[in-house]
Every structure is written in structure tokens, then in C-alpha cells.
Amino acid sequence: MPALGADMEAGTLVEWLAKPGDRVKYGDVIAVVETQKGAIEVEIFQDGVVSSILVPVGERVPVGTVLAQIDGAPGAAAPRAEAVAVAAKPAPPPLVESPPPTTVGAPQGQRIKVTPAARRRAAALNLDLGSILKGTGVEGSIRLTDVEVAASGAKLAPPSAKRGLDLSEMRKAIAAAMSRSKREIPHYYLTETVDLQAASTWIERFNAEKSPIERILPAVLFLKAAALALREQPKLNGAYENGVFSPSPDIHVGWAVSLRGGGLIAPAILDADKKSLAQLMAAMRDLVERARRGNLRSSELTSSTITVTSVGDRGAETVTGIIYPPQVAIVGFGRIVTRPYAVEGRIESRPLVALSLAADHRVTDGHIGGLYLSAIARLLQEPEKL
Amino acid sequence: MTDAEIRALIFELIGDIAPEADPAVARDQDDLREIFDLDSMDFANLVVAIHDRLKVDIPEADYNKLFTLSGAITYLRDAFAKK
């Protein structure tokens, strides 16, 4: 049973997607476990053949319990039996690199209308939209619910009951993790006001030339700048465990997603510093949708090396986060506001954002944190280079 | 496209983005983002969905014209008529 967060102590095995004798490969989803963060797909991180299932469906077991045994790797001279608790290391989640088509072929050559959410869900389920002859939307358009029903009938996905989120359980998980963080981590906090004139102008021009699916949100610039700035301050990127800080060679940003009805989850966007803005927008879109549906993968909950939160255009002016252990920093972006701002001796009306950092004093101090925030602010002045 | 059809379409698309959204609570002057708890990503996805379905161009500068139900209906009716 993988530990899908600092607060997780146990999980319930709700479905096996592999059986003894099945050949599995790196990145395959082989099980679904129910946690306080909802149903999570558990991936395997080696190639081999499932030799035995050790935990039956319905059983709740502690973190670290071996769930299944995988025999050998294909091509190995002498296959070895290895028990795995899965999720030993992260695997890259699939990325949505480009928008899928807006319609699908119908049996008689008609074009069926499909909502974007339905398209993405069908792609995730590997479901042929052409198999849905008529949707329940306007003019027979295919909606998300139609895809879920079709997938259920085709047995391509576990029943939806297993995919829901229990927000009261999630609240307990958040309380446990944040209490531990506040109890154990000596936080320090820094804030910086960032002039977004250049970023706003650039994004306006960028989006003006794009179709709606290609447009990006300001949060994408925030995410990329925060990721790139970590290259200059690696002591803010990693994990503090057993009294030792281990910097991460990779920059995997946990992107905070608020859930409808309450709750928060921060799945990872892997190698965020290396992705283009378009790739980051696609990754954010995908993660937000799956996080709210309770459809994340184990690797997405275990690989973040820092967390970034952006409250969007309906949030508060300032947000100051609580570090999610074992990470050592969280970056916050408040709502963009237009305010009087001094520019070269003149007062001008400017779009501004309050940038914040909460970091672990056991690893860094305010000097490092300040340099990091300055780097983010600097990067946001040249958005064309992000 | 009639106003009633546009209204039904908007609710359908919002329903895919925010499944718990109840159209019955929405009044014409309400901000769709407020009443259905749509964040920036949700609203961007709503515009994508409308664009896909109606094939009307919605520049980002016009997004604020779609914030209310009545505003969205007026905008899309006019945009659809110009196609």
C-alpha cells in the first residue's frame, strides 16, 4: 500500500485491474485504492508478470503492506520473484499535448457533438466515442455522463461509486497533514508585490492569436516562473525527512486544486521547469478535472518537490500557505488586482499580484527565500522567455 | 438559435464542468462564476465548450460579457447571427 501523502496511514483495496498471470509493464495501473483523498489509481514501476495477489478487494491495510507479487522482468536471464508495495518511485503521468477533435464519426458519417469534458474522459478511459450512438445533451451531443454510462457498460472503468470523494474524510486528512506541518516545521514567511504589466500585456497578445483551447491562464506563467526560479535556489526544492534535507534533481510542482464543496489536493506536474506554457496549461487542465473527479494516480500524489497555489480571479488578494511535508516550501499567488504603483517616479495604474513564500527554517532562511521570490518576480517581467 | 436553446446549451456545458450545478437557482443577472462556483479554469473550459459547439469566435477580451446568464445569451445570440 503506497503512502500517498504524509498523512496517510492506511488504505482500502477497492479493485484489482490485473490478475495472476497478467504481464504488466512500467506505468501500468494495476489497482485502485480508496484513501482519504478519494480513489487513487496505483501504478506499477517495473515490468514483469503478476504471480500473486496478496490483498483481496475490500481489505483495509496499513501503508507499506505488500499488495502483490511480480515475477521477474521480461528478458531477464533468471527471473526473480519480487514482492512490491507499488509506487516506489514516480512515473510521468500522461500529458494532454494537443486538443482532441471536437467531433467524432458517427456510423452513417454524421458528426457527433461532444463536450470537452466528455472528450477528455473518453480519452482517459480509452473509450471509442463512436460507440456512443446518441448522447443526452442538446441535439444528441455526448456529455460527460454519457461517457461514464458507456464506460460502465463496457466495463472499461470501475463503478463510479468507487471514484467519489468523501470530503469529510479529506478534511480529516488535510487537518492531520496541516497540524503536523505546523507542529513540526518552523515556517518563515515572505511576501513580494509583483508588477504584472509586462505579463498581462504579453498574455493578452498571446491569447488574442489563439483559439480558446490554446489560450493560457496567468496561473501558467506563475507556475513556470516558480519552477524555473527553483533552479537558482535548489534548497527550496526537495524533501526534509529524518533530520536531513534531500534536494531533488527534478522540479515536480504540486499544483493546489480546490475541490467543489471543500477540500484541497495538490497533484504533481512533473518536470514543470522543462515544459512549455502550452504543455503546462494542458497538464493543469487535465489535473484539475481528474482531481475533482477523484481520478488521480498514485505517482501524482507522491512526487511533488514543492507546492504552488494560485487563487485565481475570484480568490483573496494574498495567500500564505502551509508547507506540505516532507516538502520544504510552498509558493502562493493571490488574485491579480489593479492598484496605483510607482513606476520610475510616477504613479501608474498597474496589475499587481501578491507573491508569497512559506518555507522551512530547518533548511533555508529568509535570505534564500527572498532571492527566490526576486527570481520569480524577475522572470515574470520577461514572459516571452518562459 | 433561440434564447431558450442558448440557455439550455449553457446549462448543459456548465453541467459537464460542474456536475453539481443546479440551473434552477440561476437568475439572468447572476454571475455564472459566483452562482456555480466556476474558477478561472472552469470558465476557460466553458468558453472552449461554447466555441466547440457553436463555432463562434469569443475573443478573450469579451469573456466578461459572458459572466452573467443574460449577458451570455445576448452575446451568443448576436455572435451566432453574424456567422
Side-chain angles (χ1 to χ4, degrees), chain A residues 168-242:
Chain A
S168 63
E169 286 300 311
M170 175 169 282
R171 181 58 54 197
K172 291 178 189 173
I174 291 171
M178 296 300 97
S179 296
R180 176 188 158 193
S181 175
K182 280 293 208 178
R183 192 169 54 244
E184 298 180 1
I185 300 176
H187 288 62
Y188 68 87
Y189 306 96
L190 302 172
T191 59
E192 174 102 5
T193 298
V194 181
D195 180 1
L196 292 180
Q197 184 68 49
S200 296
T201 302
W202 182 85
I203 207 169
E204 192 176 308
R205 289 177 182 161
F206 178 89
N207 284 344
E209 300 170 356
K210 305 290 184 185
S211 68
I213 190 68
E214 297 172 312
R215 293 172 191 162
I216 62 173
L217 295 171
V220 174
L221 298 185
F222 299 161
L223 173 59
K224 185 67 179 286
L228 284 175
L230 282 173
R231 292 179 179 174
E232 300 178 27
Q233 302 300 337
K235 287 187 174 178
L236 294 168
N237 183 54
Y240 185 92
E241 293 174 293
N242 303 316

Side-chain angles (χ1 to χ4, degrees), chain A residues 1-3 16 30 42-45 65 67-68 83-89 298:
Chain A
M1 179 62 68
W16 278 108
I30 63 164
V42 178
E43 301 141 283
I44 191 78
F45 297 107
T65 301
L67 300 179
V84 293
V86 303
K89 60 178 180 176
S298 55

Side-chain angles (χ1 to χ4, degrees), chain A residues 102 113 115-117 119 137-138 141 143-144 207 212-213 215 217 260 281 284-285 292 312-314, chain B residues 12-13 16-18 20 33-34 37-42 45 48-49 51-53 55 58-60 63:
Chain A
T102 56
K113 293 174 180 174
T115 65
R119 274 202 315 268
V138 175
S141 63
R143 308 177 62 195
L144 182 61
N207 284 344
I213 190 68
R215 293 172 191 162
L217 295 171
R260 301 183 192 289
M281 182 68 189
M284 280 172 53
R285 179 173 263 131
R292 289 176 175 163
D313 56 9
R314 291 180 51 235
Chain B
E12 175 195 323
L13 298 177
D16 264 5
I17 294 166
E20 75 290 351
R33 302 170 304 162
E34 298 284 343
D37 194 20
L38 305 179
D39 62 17
S40 309
M41 181 66 81
D42 294 329
N45 285 336
V48 170
H51 174 77
D52 281 358
R53 288 292 292 276
K55 308 297 181 203
I58 307 173
E60 191 179 41
Y63 281 12

Side-chain angles (χ1 to χ4, degrees), chain A residues 132-158:
Chain A
I132 305 173
L133 297 181
K134 186 172 175 60
T136 58
V138 175
E139 298 174 346
S141 63
I142 296 173
R143 308 177 62 195
L144 182 61
T145 51
D146 299 321
V147 172
E148 296 286 4
V149 168
S152 176
K155 296 185 177 177
L156 288 172

Side-chain angles (χ1 to χ4, degrees), chain A residues 323-337:
Chain A
I323 300 166
Y324 192 74
Q327 296 166 34
V328 297
I330 178 170
V331 181
F333 290 89
R335 185 181 81 244
I336 298 172
V337 295

